[in-house]
Amino acid sequence: MTTTSIGSGRGAARRRALIGRAAFAGPGLVYVTAFMTVPLLLIATYTVLTRGRFGGVKWEFTLGNFAKALDPTYLSILGNSLLIAGITTVLALLLGYPTAYGISRLPRQWQAVAIVMVVLPFWSNFLIRTYAWIVLLNSEGPINSALVSLGVIGAPLDLLYNRGAVIAGLLYAYLPLVILPVYAAIERVDPQLQEAARNLGASKARTFWDVTLPLTLPGTMIGAIFVFVPSMGNFVVPELLGGGKTVMVGNLIRDQFLEARNWPFGAVLALSVVAFLVLLFALQAMVARRINSAGPRA
Amino acid sequence: MTPSPLLRISHLSKRFGQTVAVDDVSLEIRPNEFFSLLGPSGCGKTTLLRALAGFEDPDSGTVTIAGESGELDLLRLPPERRPINLMFQSYALFPHMSVERNVAYGLQRERLDRAVIRQRVDEVLQTVGLTDKATARPAQLSGGQRQRVALARAIVKRPRLLLLDEPLSALDRKVRAEMQLELKRLQHEVGITFVVVTHDQEEAMSMADRIAVMSDGRVEQVDSPVDLYTRPRTVFVADFIGTSNAFVGTLTSGGVMVPGIGMLPGQSVSADAGPEVTLIVRPEDIRFAPTGQAVLAGHVIDVQYFGGASTVAVRVEGVDRPVLVSCQGTTTLARGDATGLAWDPAAAVLLEA
Amino acid sequence: MRRVGWLALPLWLTYAFLYLPIVVLVVMSFNASKTPYAWKGFSLQWYRELMSDDLIRQGFINTLIVAVGATVLATALGTLLAIGINRYVHSALVEAYSLAPAIIPDLALAIGLLATFALVGVTLGLHTVLLAHVVFGMAFVAAVVLARLGHQDQSLEEASRDLGAGPISTFWRITVPGLMPAIVAGALLVFTLSLDEFVIAYFTDGPSTPTLPIVIYSMVRFGVTPEINALAALLLLVSFTVVISAQRITKLTDAL
């Protein structure tokens, strides 16, 4: 009698937990599966199928799409994308890290304001922000007319429709994404660790190099990934600011789906971008584990 | 004759906005002593410590430290150039470095030879008993082990002065007692002057040669543990160090006249105690007495037995707080019993009210 | 003060970089010139033309429909999901899985959804955009609410149960009010994100119901008019107002 009641009591608790799990997490998890996992798996499947004549796929197995991606034409586009995304990421770090550091050294009440100021442009329309650079860099635009009227240059410079403009646009789009995680990482560093380094004889610069930088490396890598990966997949900025001359992986994927109608090949390219993301995150996790086996902070 | 001081703090003050954290503090710390800064949280002891280490700029005052070539103005030096090391309350071990790299860090900053660093790190790890943990990360260590690493990292620099900020507070009770002895032993062994900041009077009393009791940014009294206990100079010190019973009254030739209670035994040792005094008497100096010899009478409201001694709380008519009496072993008194209390006039301390 | 000195340099550089294009755009929106670049004098004519542009008005309505729908659905699903993960699932893997849509490259998600919709045979339109926006919106809401749940004292709910309230009453009277700032912050986040989202909408929308970002894209691509400057200035105003008020109401930075 007693054993059965205990048994059923425990069963009831387990049943309640199950109901809770199903009622709360269930709908969301089903949704993510249906609208993220299934689509991504479908794309993965498409990579080994044959292209349909009017888009879509024929269900015939092939490895030709991967072979096509290794064609020099496409490899050079991939290389170009990596280069542009890489330069953008380096510039974002060079500007973003010192900015995040500067913000972390402001008085408390100003830090929140400074962070909002960084994030604010990010919340405005991305196309509008990209468009602003067309206006800014145009041959009749404010930069050129200012330089001409100041007599710095004789004739307007070709600032638009080149690789530099694309990098500027990407940097503009994603700079806040590097500042936020770096700022969060700097804030998490226990100031006593920096004081300990000073106390043991390290100068301010030395302290930064030995303590602050390594401890903020995982956060900085997150920021770098947040700039690098979307830069590679972006097709709007290369199109609007690169003037079609700068083709990146993003443009290629867009074209495969909407113009060339080669979905399997587009799938291979898109999956390569996702693979980059996964790879970089794995690398970040490895570095974070190496550096931050810190355990609980006292 | 006292030896010339190692560290001389004079008229040091530091305020944060409206609050005065350190208020005109003057202290002298002697070479090779185990000194303690004791006070409740917020009394300014940590600010004082941080000012010595160079992490707070005092508003006024000077700090000098005896060096090979005369006295050194400490406040003019940046933190990294001060011949002082600090053991942080949280230990502040670098989580991304192994134990030996943590310990070697300070020596590397002195640009010492690799072999010398190697040797000194090995030595100090042996001293603190962590040779087998040299390659471990701080996260892999227990609380007590981390504390030893923090200590090793500081003493390996052979500073003239080692500051320890609440060194035992992060440890559990049992380890703490062990580390108290360990700290004492190490201080003896390495011959470095220790300044320990703590809020735990037991800790300070059991370890320190001399203690400065701080309250509200001021130093109340600097003395040996025994003198602090037996001859407190302020009511705050009497109250903070150990347990005491206090009565406020007027000093007369026959004792202290306490309104509503009567004449209590006590005698003035110094002439400057005014007519208004606080009489302090320790629980162990009070004895139970038959009605005829008692100076106070009341009834027992609580009896506690702990560590071979009993503490009896006695409610006395006219006194706000129960009078605490401690006696060896167990007692036959029980709740509700009526009893009389008495003490020798010499056992009572009279302080300015 | 002197110490902040050289650290302030990158700060100013960043702010100049972030705000210069925006300022130029807003100034140019009051430009009388026919080309959107060179300054010819003050005028409000582009704002007037903007108001009478049917394509833009319809695009704006379409965008609003998607944003409101996606916000409602994503907020409900995301909040439940966060509570479910925090209280019943306790798995870092499930948490990472739920938040993944916020990090997956939008282009990959967009073509995946396009392929899926095509395979199932769904006609593309505002409803498909809405369904697509819910998936990343939900992840953002869940992230914000999870952060809040991390700070929240669970003993409040235990106290409520101990005092005799049932699980449902406890949920509505204790859990939800405690999470409200995070839920509102999450909802505003999704609304702004959906309002501005282009890539996923571009792939999952039908040709007859373009959202505003799609309209802007074709405008910018096929002919620049100063009208875009005016539209840009208005959109900036809307975005900034929403974000700043969200900041003030909910202290967004704390929740994040």
Side-chain angles (χ1 to χ4, degrees):
Chain A
M1 184 61 204
T2 12
T3 34
T4 46
S5 75
I6 289 172
S8 73
R10 196 186 292 155
R14 199 177 302 156
R15 202 158 50 241
R16 254 202 314 278
L18 231 121
I19 291 170
R21 213 176 291 185
F24 284 102
L29 290 177
V30 167
Y31 201 96
V32 174
T33 307
F35 291 93
M36 179 192 77
T37 313
V38 167
L40 289 181
L41 287 177
L42 193 64
I43 289 295
T45 314
Y46 279 12
T47 57
V48 292
L49 296 180
T50 310
R51 65 181 292 189
R53 197 187 290 179
F54 307 104
V57 288
K58 274 199 288 194
W59 292 79
E60 289 167 18
F61 179 82
T62 175
L63 288 175
N65 305 307
F66 288 97
K68 187 174 180 181
L70 297 176
D71 184 287
T73 324
Y74 298 119
L75 275 185
S76 81
I77 290 174
L78 185 69
N80 189 40
S81 304
L82 287 174
L83 184 69
I84 288 180
I87 293 173
T88 306
T89 306
V90 169
L91 289 177
L93 290 175
L94 286 179
L95 188 56
Y97 197 107
T99 301
Y101 193 83
I103 292 174
S104 76
R105 290 295 171 271
L106 290 174
R108 269 267 149 235
Q109 67 272 27
W110 284 105
Q111 289 186 24
V113 178
I115 283 294
V116 173
M117 290 278 287
V118 166
V119 182
L120 206 51
F122 193 70
W123 290 116
S124 64
N125 191 293
F126 165 67
L127 290 158
I128 295 289
R129 279 183 291 146
T130 307
Y131 168 76
W133 283 86
I134 301 183
V135 176
L136 203 63
L137 298 179
N138 204 278
S139 56
E140 302 164 50
I143 291 183
N144 264 319
S145 40
L147 289 179
V148 169
S149 63
L150 285 173
V152 180
I153 48 173
L157 300 170
D158 282 330
L159 297 174
L160 203 51
Y161 306 127
N162 55 42
R163 194 179 271 178
V166 173
I167 291 171
L170 291 173
L171 183 63
Y172 190 63
Y174 301 124
L175 181 62
L177 291 183
V178 74
I179 295 176
L180 287 184
V182 171
Y183 169 74
I186 293 174
E187 279 296 284
R188 268 199 301 275
V189 175
D190 182 354
Q192 291 212 339
L193 291 177
Q194 290 149 343
E195 290 179 352
R198 297 293 304 280
N199 184 255
L200 293 168
S203 63
K204 275 187 188 175
R206 189 80 220 185
T207 299
F208 176 78
W209 189 254
D210 286 345
V211 177
T212 314
L213 198 59
L215 290 179
T216 52
L217 191 60
T220 308
M221 287 179 76
I222 291 276
I225 295 171
F226 280 172
V227 175
F228 186 82
V229 174
S231 291
M232 275 192 68
N234 195 305
F235 63 87
V236 176
V237 171
E239 184 174 348
L240 297 182
L241 301 180
K245 277 183 292 186
T246 313
V247 179
M248 289 178 66
V249 174
N251 305 68
L252 209 51
I253 296 171
R254 200 270 315 267
D255 292 347
Q256 299 311 312
F257 273 83
L258 299 182
E259 277 154 37
R261 300 264 166 206
N262 190 344
W263 288 23
F265 183 48
V268 169
L269 297 171
L271 222 59
S272 71
V273 175
V274 178
F276 255 108
L277 177 77
V278 173
L279 212 76
L280 290 173
F281 265 121
L283 186 71
Q284 191 273 343
M286 224 172 70
V287 171
R289 227 190 346 267
R290 274 188 63 89
I291 285 178
N292 260 336
S293 50
R297 263 198 290 146
Chain B
M1 236 344 249
T2 53
S4 66
L6 171 71
L7 188 82
R8 197 194 304 268
I9 303 169
S10 18
H11 305 292
L12 202 72
S13 290
K14 171 74 186 174
R15 59 174 71 230
F16 297 106
Q18 294 294 337
T19 42
V20 185
V22 175
D23 189 1
D24 195 33
V25 164
S26 296
L27 277 177
E28 289 186 350
I29 291 162
R30 301 168 193 157
N32 297 328
E33 78 174 328
F34 200 124
F35 192 88
S36 179
L37 285 172
L38 174 66
S41 62
C43 73
K45 57 191 193 302
T46 297
T47 307
L48 180 58
L49 192 80
R50 289 175 58 79
L52 295 183
F55 301 126
E56 302 286 356
D57 282 331
D59 299 322
S60 58
T62 59
V63 181
T64 56
I65 187 163
E68 285 103 42
S69 50
E71 300 230 305
L72 212 58
D73 183 354
L74 202 62
L75 298 182
R76 302 253 299 263
L77 297 172
E80 64 267 29
R81 305 251 317 272
R82 299 188 182 194
I84 284 180
N85 283 109
L86 171 58
M87 195 181 108
F88 290 83
Q89 185 175 7
S90 65
Y91 308 146
L93 299 179
F94 304 126
H96 56 302
M97 299 181 190
S98 65
V99 166
E100 54 187 356
R101 281 190 60 210
N102 262 284
V103 176
Y105 188 81
L107 298 179
Q108 286 164 347
R109 300 286 76 74
E110 292 177 28
R111 298 174 197 287
L112 293 178
D113 190 65
R114 268 168 186 274
V116 175
I117 294 177
R118 181 81 257 165
Q119 192 202 341
R120 276 172 67 175
V121 170
D122 287 348
E123 269 172 27
V124 79
L125 284 180
Q126 198 156 16
T127 310
V128 298
L130 281 175
T131 307
D132 56 329
K133 296 283 181 191
T135 54
R137 287 286 183 87
Q140 296 164 306
L141 303 180
S142 71
Q145 289 170 333
R146 281 183 213 177
Q147 202 236 23
R148 285 160 200 263
V149 178
L151 194 62
R153 188 176 70 172
I155 59 178
V156 77
K157 297 264 294 175
R158 298 181 184 157
R160 309 186 64 80
L161 188 68
L162 179 64
L163 308 172
L164 301 98
D165 189 4
E166 303 274 0
L168 305 173
S169 66
L171 303 177
D172 53 48
R173 234 187 145 68
K174 265 188 141 169
V175 188
R176 206 183 302 172
E178 240 169 71
M179 285 310 293
Q180 274 184 21
L181 291 172
E182 182 85 6
L183 277 180
K184 239 353 232 182
R185 176 183 74 80
L186 274 168
Q187 195 258 340
H188 227 74
E189 206 171 301
V190 296
I192 296 172
T193 308
F194 275 30
V195 175
V196 171
V197 155
T198 180
H199 67 277
D200 185 339
Q201 49 115 351
E202 249 175 74
E203 203 172 289
M205 298 289 278
S206 61
M207 291 194 294
D209 300 324
R210 288 195 308 144
I211 299 172
V213 180
M214 288 187 71
S215 162
D216 284 332
R218 282 186 311 275
V219 172
E220 295 269 330
Q221 185 173 353
V222 186
D223 251 321
S224 71
V226 175
D227 286 345
L228 277 179
Y229 190 77
T230 54
R231 278 193 286 279
R233 279 214 296 269
T234 66
V235 177
F236 177 84
V237 172
D239 199 41
F240 194 72
I241 307 281
T243 318
S244 61
N245 299 294
F247 306 91
V248 181
T250 316
L251 182 63
T252 67
S253 56
V256 177
M257 185 65 201
V258 180
I261 296 174
M263 190 69 84
L264 295 181
Q267 58 196 30
S268 175
V269 279
S270 60
D272 60 325
E276 288 291 309
V277 294
T278 300
L279 183 149
I280 303 285
V281 57
R282 298 287 184 187
E284 63 271 22
D285 291 330
I286 305 182
R287 61 178 188 275
F288 299 109
T291 324
Q293 297 158 30
V295 293
L296 288 174
H299 60 274
V300 176
I301 55 169
D302 191 34
V303 178
Q304 281 180 6
Y305 177 75
F306 179 76
S310 298
T311 302
V312 181
V314 179
R315 165 74 65 204
V316 175
E317 199 65 40
V319 183
D320 294 342
R321 289 202 289 181
V323 176
L324 298 176
V325 183
S326 67
C327 55
Q328 285 299 312
T330 53
T331 170
T332 52
L333 288 168
R335 259 180 88 160
D337 289 356
T339 183
L341 304 171
W343 61 84
D344 288 339
V349 177
L350 301 189
L351 300 168
E352 259 182 279
Chain C
M1 278 322 278
R2 203 171 52 86
R3 275 190 214 158
V4 188
W6 68 268
L7 284 171
L9 186 71
L11 260 173
W12 289 120
L13 215 65
T14 292
Y15 288 129
F17 178 67
L18 288 178
Y19 285 92
L20 184 69
I22 290 175
V23 170
V24 166
L25 212 56
V26 172
V27 170
M28 288 301 181
S29 73
F30 298 106
N31 191 356
S33 162
K34 265 221 166 24
T35 71
Y37 318 120
W39 182 257
K40 290 271 160 57
F42 182 86
S43 160
L44 284 175
Q45 64 163 317
W46 304 115
Y47 285 90
R48 276 194 296 277
E49 275 186 39
L50 186 68
M51 294 306 150
S52 53
D53 190 324
D54 282 339
L55 207 60
I56 284 176
R57 194 176 46 230
Q58 194 51 50
F60 185 64
I61 292 168
N62 291 341
T63 293
L64 267 187
I65 292 169
V66 171
V68 169
T71 302
V72 171
L73 258 175
T75 305
L77 284 172
T79 303
L80 287 177
L81 185 57
I83 295 173
I85 289 171
N86 184 272
R87 296 291 148 81
Y88 299 104
V89 181
H90 312 292
S91 153
L93 204 68
V94 173
E95 186 174 332
Y97 182 69
S98 315
L99 303 184
I103 314 173
I104 288 289
D106 49 2
L107 187 55
L109 199 56
I111 60 172
L113 285 163
L114 169 63
T116 309
F117 290 139
L119 189 73
V120 181
V122 182
T123 324
L124 297 182
L126 290 181
H127 54 286
T128 42
V129 181
L130 194 153
L131 288 172
H133 280 189
V134 170
V135 72
F136 67 78
M138 180 174 67
F140 277 102
V141 173
V144 177
V145 175
L146 268 172
R148 175 88 190 183
L149 278 165
H151 298 306
Q152 202 171 38
D153 188 359
Q154 203 162 329
S155 60
L156 285 181
E157 283 165 39
E158 286 161 4
S160 162
R161 294 298 292 278
D162 184 58
L163 294 169
I168 294 169
S169 157
T170 298
F171 177 77
W172 284 112
R173 285 164 189 271
I174 306 294
T175 313
V176 171
L179 293 177
M180 218 48 199
I183 295 173
V184 172
L188 283 168
L189 201 65
V190 178
F191 186 75
T192 349
L193 283 172
S194 173
L195 215 57
D196 287 340
E197 205 288 324
F198 166 68
V199 174
I200 291 173
Y202 183 59
F203 280 86
T204 57
D205 200 358
S208 59
T209 53
T211 62
L212 190 59
I214 296 174
V215 174
I216 296 172
Y217 178 64
S218 48
M219 280 172 82
V220 174
R221 212 168 159 212
F222 298 115
V224 177
T225 74
E227 206 181 322
I228 299 175
N229 290 348
L231 178 61
L234 282 180
L235 283 179
L236 286 170
L237 187 71
V238 171
S239 300
F240 288 5
T241 312
V242 171
V243 172
I244 289 174
S245 48
Q247 182 75 27
R248 294 203 128 185
I249 296 166
T250 63
K251 296 217 163 65
L252 196 65
T253 45
D254 292 356
L256 289 171

